[in-house]
Amino acid sequence: MAVDPVRGVVRGRAGFGVDAAKVIAAGGPVGDYRVISKLSGSAAPLVVPASEVADMVPGQCLRLFDVHGPIAVQLLRSDRLGLLGIVFCDHGTTSDFRPSAADLATLTELSEVAALAFQQALLLRRSVSLQELRERSRIAAALHDGVTQQLFAATLEVEELRAGGVLDEQATVGLERLADRLGTALQQLRVALVEIASGGVPYDRGTQEGDQAVATRIRSVLARVGAGGGPTPDLDVTGEGPEPDAVSADLLVRAVREGAANAGHHGHATQIAVHLRRGGSWWTVEIDDDGSGNAVDVRRVLSGHENNSFGLPSLAKECARVGGRIWVSDAPRLHGLRLGVAVPLIAR
């Protein structure tokens, strides 16, 4: 059972012969695992009699592994990462369990090896995730600064030709088709850049006619986040007001997608809470998480001072372009980060 002391939770990480989904679910608050506090000041394993097991380990954990008798428990510790988890050995019967000193020494040695392997696996996963993020951000930034700008410049040149008024009807019709294609290509490229920077979380444009409500699109994004093994999402919708135009609506949905992706990938959050406020002139969305992100660092990313980031700076620029605003603060209830975006109903 892995321990996350920052969030104060314990979660299953493996289960030989047991459904992995059930193992992950068989966790809970650290306070429910009294064996952790019992062992915190000791390097030796703890033998828990059958009569005390229910007070030391939560019932869902005992039921999952069908524990009926006494157990021997040892903490998994890391010099670099601190407390990693706990391992317990079930005797499998209700009879007395009296392990020898050699048995307990073997458990200690195996736990040390397991803790080292666990530590290396966690560090490797973090390293791979960081490298993938940097590469995605580099590609997205290069495309944004190169191809996107070229398409945008071509669009402006076409518009200048159309506005000149010296072309015949056939040329004007051709330029209109070209302008439409350039606009479509530019929009598709921006969508692809967002997906690259956010780690492949699909960009939800709603139906082809763009008639899906913002709340429905946000629910769809959050459902995919939860189904994909990301943080557990929750959505709260308040207020009333007409749906924003397509540009503002896209920004609200993108903010949720960006916030959810960053909470999971960078902050290693387990929960996100999204609050959508609808109004007659402005709509606001706030994404709170219980991750380990730092508001000061994220503000630096928003300002564009971090060269390896694309998603948030791009979102900030789009908010400014339509007359909206974006902010980052501490999340009051989940004690992680809050990403907030407010946009007018009609983008300027």
Side-chain angles (χ1 to χ4, degrees), residues 3-345:
V3 176
D4 185 341
V6 175
R7 300 179 184 86
V9 295
V10 178
R11 293 190 174 202
R13 301 292 291 220
F16 297 95
V18 183
D19 184 354
K22 292 181 180 179
V23 175
I24 294 173
V30 171
D32 290 350
Y33 287 78
R34 292 185 56 205
V35 290
I36 294 178
S37 59
K38 190 87 172 179
L39 279 168
S40 59
S42 172
L46 174 68
V47 178
V48 183
S51 59
E52 299 178 16
V53 168
D55 294 330
M56 292 290 181
V57 181
Q60 70 268 23
C61 185
L62 299 177
R63 288 190 295 271
L64 174 68
F65 297 109
D66 197 25
V67 177
H68 298 289
I71 58 175
V73 189
Q74 176 68 298
L75 294 185
L76 295 179
R77 293 185 175 93
S78 161
D79 292 338
R80 295 186 60 182
L81 303 179
L83 180 61
L84 296 176
I86 57 175
V87 57
F88 64 85
C89 301
D90 170 29
H91 186 257
T93 69
T94 56
S95 61
D96 290 338
F97 179 37
R98 296 186 178 89
S100 66
D103 293 333
L104 296 179
T106 300
L107 175 58
T108 298
E109 292 174 0
L110 291 177
S111 298
E112 290 173 352
V113 173
L116 181 61
F118 195 9
Q119 169 187 280
Q120 296 304 315
L122 289 176
L123 292 174
L124 177 61
R125 186 179 68 177
R126 293 179 186 178
S127 176
V128 170
S129 298
L130 181 59
Q131 185 60 36
E132 289 178 350
L133 172 66
R134 287 174 174 168
E135 183 62 15
R136 288 196 306 266
S137 297
R138 184 192 65 79
I139 293 172
L143 289 173
H144 180 267
D145 294 339
V147 180
T148 301
Q149 298 304 324
Q150 292 294 330
L151 283 174
F152 185 68
T155 302
L156 292 180
E157 292 178 2
V158 170
E159 290 298 329
E160 289 177 0
L161 288 173
R162 292 173 63 188
V166 295
L167 302 174
D168 58 31
E169 182 178 353
Q170 184 176 2
T172 300
V173 171
L175 280 177
E176 289 177 352
R177 288 200 299 266
L178 179 58
D180 289 341
R181 290 178 179 177
L182 284 172
T184 300
L186 188 58
Q187 179 60 43
Q188 290 176 344
L189 180 58
R190 284 173 172 165
V191 169
L193 290 178
V194 170
E195 290 191 10
I196 292 172
S198 62
V201 178
Y203 185 87
D204 184 6
R205 293 277 305 178
T207 62
Q208 190 174 11
E209 297 76 24
D211 60 357
Q212 268 196 328
V214 170
T216 301
R217 294 173 60 188
I218 289 176
R219 287 190 181 95
S220 178
V221 170
L222 295 179
R224 287 196 296 272
V225 169
T232 301
D234 181 55
L235 174 63
D236 177 46
V237 182
T238 59
E240 295 182 358
E243 289 285 314
D245 66 12
V247 174
S248 290
D250 283 351
L251 273 175
L252 292 167
V253 177
R254 179 182 169 186
V256 173
R257 185 179 57 253
E258 199 77 44
N262 287 337
H265 294 155
H266 307 310
H268 307 290
T270 61
Q271 298 181 62
I272 54 174
V274 178
H275 185 193
L276 177 65
R277 291 194 294 271
R278 302 176 293 195
S281 301
W282 288 74
W283 280 39
T284 301
V285 66
E286 291 180 323
I287 306 96
D288 291 5
D289 66 60
D290 66 345
S292 57
N294 181 281
V296 174
D297 292 340
V298 177
R299 290 191 192 105
R300 284 182 53 83
V301 172
L302 275 177
S303 66
H305 291 160
E306 300 292 337
N307 294 328
N308 64 346
S309 180
F310 169 79
L312 284 179
S314 173
L315 179 63
K317 290 178 181 178
E318 288 297 306
C319 285
R321 186 177 66 83
V322 304
R325 57 185 294 261
I326 184 170
W327 64 94
V328 174
S329 64
D330 296 330
R333 183 174 65 85
L334 294 181
H335 306 293
L337 279 181
R338 165 175 289 177
L339 172 67
V341 166
V343 294
L345 284 183

